[in-house]
Amino acid sequence: MRAVVMGAGSWGTATAKVLSDAGTDTTLWCRREELADRINESHTNADYLAGITLPSNLTASSDIAHALTGADLVVCAVPAQSLRDNLSDWRPHLSDDATLVSLAKGIETSTLMRMSEVIAEVAEVPSEQIAVLTGPNLAREVAEGQPAATVIACTDLSRAEQLQQMFNTGYFRPYTNTDVIGCEIGGAVKNVIALACGMASGVGFGQNTLATIITRGLAETIRLSSAVGGQIETLAGLAGIGDLVATCSSPLSRNRTFGAHLGQGATMEEAQAAASGQVAEGVKSCTSVTALAEKYQVSMPLTEAVNSVCHDGLPVADAVSSLLGRKTKPEFRSGHA
Ligand SMILES: NC(=O)c1ccc[n+]([C@@H]2O[C@H](COP(=O)([O-])OP(=O)(O)OC[C@H]3O[C@@H](n4cnc5c(N)ncnc54)[C@H](O)[C@@H]3O)[C@@H](O)[C@H]2O)c1
Ligand SMILES: O=P(O)(O)OC[C@H](O)CO
C-alpha cells in the first residue's frame, strides 16, 4: 500500500510521520517546491514542526501528479475552506479505487457541507471510499510520539479496519467507527467551543467557566449531530468529549489561542496576525455551524455568541452577559442535553 498526505502543515506532517512510523510507504505533498526540498534534505519541517525529526523513509514532493499517481490512500490535509479547490486540482490524478481520508475539522461556509460530502462531490467517489480521522490529536504532541488515540470513521467498516492497521503505531492508537456524521460534527464544533474557552481564559476566568463551556458545548454538539443524523455515543468518545477536552484545555490549540487573544482585547486582525498563517478553523466554521444549526432548528447559543464576536463585532464581555442573561431552563430536555 502506498499513501500520500496532501498538505504539509502541522497535522499533515504529523500524520505522514505516523503513517511512516507504522510502516506505510508515504509521500508528503507540499504546495511549495522549496519546502519539499528542505524536508527531503533535512528530514524536518521547520516551518510547522520545528525540532521534530521525520522518518528517513518519508519523502516529500511538490508535484501533484507524481505524489498522487498510484496512491492507494490519499489523506486530505488542507484547511476545510480550501479543500474543494485543492481537490479539483487533485481529481485528475486520483486512482479510481483510492481511499480518501479527511483530516479537516470544519464545515464548508459556502454550502454547509461536511468534508466527506465535499470529497464525495468533487472527487466523485462513493461514500464507502471516504473516511474521516479525528480525535484529541494536537499535531505537535503526536509528532513527538506522545501516546494518543484517534477515531477512523467510515461507513464501510472493513475499510476503517484496514486504515486502523495502516495508522497504528506504538504511540498512536486508532479506533474504528461507522458514524461519519457524528465524527465530523464533533470535529467542527469543538473548534468553535475552543474559541469560546480561549475567550474565557483571555478574560481571566478559571476552571469552572472552562468546564461549563466544554459541557454546554458538548450539549450543543450532541443536539446538532443528532439533528443531522449522527449518533449520541460518538460524542461521548474521542471525536466528541475527547477532542473538546484536548482542544479547549491546551495552549497548543490554535483555536483556543485565537480566542484567548480576543478575550484579552485583540482585534480579529491582531489575533489573525498572531496565528502566523496557521489555520484556526473555528473562526470560519462558527459561521457555517451557526447556519447549519438554523437550518436544522437547533439551539446553539455558545456557537452563536462566538460567531457574533468573530464576525459581528460583539465585545466578549457582552457575549458573556448575553449568555448568562438567558432564561433559565432544565439541564436536560426530552432526553437530550
Ligand atoms: N494541527 C493540528 O493539531 C490538527 C490536528 C487535527 C486536525 N487538524 C485539522 O487538520 C486540518 C489541517 O490543519 P493543519 O494543522 O495541518 O493546518 P496548517 O495551517 O498547519 O497547514 C495547512 C496546510 O494546507 C496547505 N494549503 C493548501 N491549500 C491551502 C489554502 N488554500 N489555504 C491555506 N493552506 C493551504 C498549506 O500549505 C499547509 O501545508 C485543519 O482542518 C485542522 O483543523 C489539525
Ligand atoms: O490547534 P487546533 O485548535 O486546530 O486543534 C488541533 C486539533 O484539532 C486537536 O485535536
Side-chain angles (χ1 to χ4, degrees), residues 263-285:
Q264 286 158 3
T267 62
M268 284 292 284
E269 292 70 27
E270 288 165 344
Q272 200 74 62
S276 312
Q278 292 211 31
V279 65
E281 292 280 25
V283 174
K284 288 190 174 147
S285 283

Side-chain angles (χ1 to χ4, degrees), residues 25 27 31 33 49 58-59 68 131 155 195 206 222 239 245:
D25 176 18
T27 303
R31 281 198 296 184
E33 185 178 357
L49 288 175
L58 173 60
T59 55
L68 283 171
T155 53
L195 281 166
I222 289 172
V245 169

Side-chain angles (χ1 to χ4, degrees), residues 12 59-60 76-77 81 90 95 101 133 160 162 164-166 168 215 226 232 248 281 284 300 302 312:
T59 55
C76 305
Q81 308 307 329
W90 306 341
S95 306
V101 175
L133 186 149
Q162 192 183 21
Q164 184 177 38
Q165 296 315 312
M166 291 179 79
N168 188 25
T215 311
S226 301
I232 292 176
C248 293
E281 292 280 25
K284 288 190 174 147
M300 298 187 77
L302 277 168
D312 301 329

Side-chain angles (χ1 to χ4, degrees), residues 74-86:
V74 178
V75 179
C76 305
V78 296
Q81 308 307 329
S82 74
L83 180 60
R84 181 176 291 274
D85 285 350
N86 273 294

